[in-house]
Amino acid sequence: MSALYLLIIASLLVAIGFLGAFIWSVRRGHFDDDYTPSVRILLDENESGSSVPK
């Protein structure tokens, strides 16, 4: 029975760790822009600044 208590405490510590990491990443802004990366490949932008005839 003591092993069960130990496993419950360990799983709660792991869950709290993951929750803390998630909250930290949200506050740091890792989930702010979720639209642009998925459509960036579709945008026609030239890095050098010169226009290319179409």
Side-chain angles (χ1 to χ4, degrees):
M1 198 62 175
S2 63
L4 183 63
Y5 294 136
L6 182 64
L7 288 173
I8 290 172
I9 291 171
S11 66
L12 286 175
L13 288 175
V14 169
I16 290 171
F18 279 114
L19 180 64
F22 175 72
I23 291 172
W24 174 79
S25 65
V26 167
R27 289 189 181 187
R28 293 285 181 154
H30 290 280
F31 298 111
D32 283 348
D33 188 13
D34 59 348
Y35 178 70
T36 303
S38 64
V39 296
R40 186 176 295 152
I41 195 168
L42 301 175
L43 301 176
D44 188 22
E45 295 181 7
N46 196 356
E47 291 181 12
S48 65
S50 62
S51 64
V52 178
K54 293 182 178 181

